[in-house]
Amino acid sequence: MINIYESVSANKRKSAVIIVFFIIFVALAIYFISQAFAVYLGYQPGGLGIVGLSLIISGLMSLVGYYYSDKIVLTISGARPASRNRDFEFYTVAENLSIASGLPKPKLYVIADSAPNAFATGRDPEHAVICATTGLLQKLDRTELEGVIGHELSHIKNYDSRLMSVVAVLVGTVALLGDWLIRIRWFGGRNDSDREGNQLGAIMLIVGIIFAILSPIVAQLIQLAISRRREFLADTGSVALTRQPSGLISALEKISRDTEPLEAANKATAHLYIINPFKGKTKSAVSTFSNLFNTHPPVEERIKALRQMA
Amino acid sequence: MILTWILVIALIVVVFWVFSTYNFFVGSKARIKAAVQEIGNQLKRQSDLIPNLEASTKGYLKHETGIFSKLTEVRKSVESAIKSQDVQKMADAGSKVASLLPDIKVIMESNPEIKGSEVVVKLMDELRDTSDKIMYARRLVIDLTADYNVKRVSIQSSFIANLLKFDEITGLITPQEGEHVEVKAEETKTPKISL
């Protein structure tokens, strides 16, 4: 039995710890890789210029996604705007929960797909979008729908799509830098004679290459860990709004039991949904390992966490 | 030289902290006020829906005059509560309406021709939705006042709160004692349902 206030602050704390860990790791990786660049190119501050360049490229790639995420996702998924008459439950539940959370009502869209699922996107609460499939609206009752919409509204309230795009920029930066360092070796860089007698330089180079190979993967794993922690946070946020864990629990059960694949989803939009649209094919022995590569925590664990609040 | 810099930076940090704490208190007060107005807004909507419901069911319900006089009475208290802009009055009026809903529902269920009417079903949905909205608007007031009051007594921010005289906000009042907090022996038993 965990009090809802404690649960929210515990989740925020854990999430902050992972994010701090991520930032430290990215800083270290960038430092070592740029030091290795410096050794190669033969002048000390050289690394920073390259870091800046990779940050700009990675940033530009994500910026478009960040500003137009709502429009892009909606176009890909082929959604239509929800209307009060046609989707009474969806519309009013979203309206009610935005009152409770003190946020402006997000734009609401419906995807014609019989697999039950929902997602939220948009860079801040003013540009937020919540999208639900027709399957979700048909299969869930009002209490369950409140749980799901509460979860999506908590994502919006916590600025999760902003956080995840900043994280993506940093992961992209590290990956670009690592890639460049490995490629530049084939172009030769400086003569071997210049590096002679410089032991520190040699060590830096080796450490830098190790980081260049490993850090893109590690950074991605931490990125996924952040994503999973934000899902837990959104679950508790939903309960904080509705005060009815039972609604979200039975909604999660219903959605996860449904075996129909979501046609509108693809790899790029998968992390946005309330439950991973590519449902787990792996079970038991391999699952703890494969969980490392998932954007969402396993449904059983989410339900267990929610039960503790019930 | 370094010491001066440290002092300057420390001073800037403190000033920022004071400003942000002050802004939190002022902002919270404004948000609580807005949330209270939202309750009034939703109550207004609810009291507007009731005459519609009356009009569309009156033909069927000539013998159920009791409920109509109750409805009118509740409507009056809602309107006066909105005029007063008082949280407590609004909350009371809201719970009065909520207590009527089961009665209305019983009447609907026992009159199949009303239950079948599409207009009435729609109106009942709207009524239910509006009472949900009032509930959520009240929750926002409760949550915001809780945040405000917790911050007011927490260790660093209480300093600012005392210094600048931010008083406790009562929010919605629920009596701390009385019948509703006692549990009677028969209420602890599992209800028997005979089908």
Side-chain angles (χ1 to χ4, degrees), chain A residues 241-254:
Chain A
L241 285 179
T242 63
R243 300 293 153 98
Q244 291 196 68
S246 57
L248 187 55
I249 289 174
S250 74
L252 287 177
E253 279 169 350
K254 265 190 196 174

Side-chain angles (χ1 to χ4, degrees), chain B residues 58-184:
Chain B
K58 215 154 201 168
Y60 304 109
L61 296 174
K62 293 208 174 71
H63 48 286
E64 307 266 9
T65 43
I67 191 87
F68 286 121
S69 59
K70 264 193 219 158
L71 274 171
T72 334
E73 194 184 306
V74 166
R75 234 164 75 76
K76 271 180 195 146
S77 71
V78 167
E79 265 157 25
S80 75
I82 294 166
K83 254 182 217 146
S84 70
Q85 285 287 318
D86 180 64
V87 197
Q88 204 46 45
K89 272 189 186 164
M90 282 189 204
D92 290 345
S95 53
K96 265 189 198 166
V97 183
S99 70
L100 268 187
L101 287 181
D103 291 349
I104 299 178
K105 196 140 201 187
V106 168
I107 296 173
M108 300 288 155
E109 301 287 325
S110 54
N111 290 274
E113 66 268 74
I114 299 181
K115 215 179 136 193
S117 155
E118 208 172 290
V119 185
V120 175
V121 170
K122 185 82 195 145
L123 278 170
M124 288 305 290
D125 278 351
E126 294 279 359
L127 261 186
R128 189 214 150 150
D129 175 50
T130 317
S131 50
D132 274 6
K133 284 196 167 69
I134 293 170
M135 191 263 287
Y136 282 119
R138 294 172 53 148
R139 171 153 308 152
L140 182 62
V141 173
I142 293 169
D143 285 350
L144 288 174
T145 40
D147 283 351
Y148 176 94
N149 287 334
V150 166
K151 195 105 176 182
R152 211 184 66 87
V153 291
S154 306
I155 200 141
Q156 294 148 19
S157 43
S158 67
F159 181 71
I160 305 276
N162 291 331
L163 197 72
L164 299 172
K165 303 240 164 4
F166 284 107
D167 296 327
E168 188 170 346
I169 293 178
T170 37
L172 302 176
I173 300 164
T174 314
Q176 297 286 321
E177 46 198 62
E179 241 178 86
H180 69 283
V181 285
E182 286 159 21
V183 180
K184 294 187 192 76

Side-chain angles (χ1 to χ4, degrees), chain A residues 52-68 72 165 168-170 172-173 176:
Chain A
L53 189 65
S54 62
L55 196 63
I56 289 168
I57 292 178
S58 169
L60 277 180
M61 292 196 303
S62 302
L63 199 69
V64 179
Y66 176 62
Y67 267 92
Y68 299 103
I72 293 172
S165 43
V169 170
L170 291 178
T173 307
L176 275 178

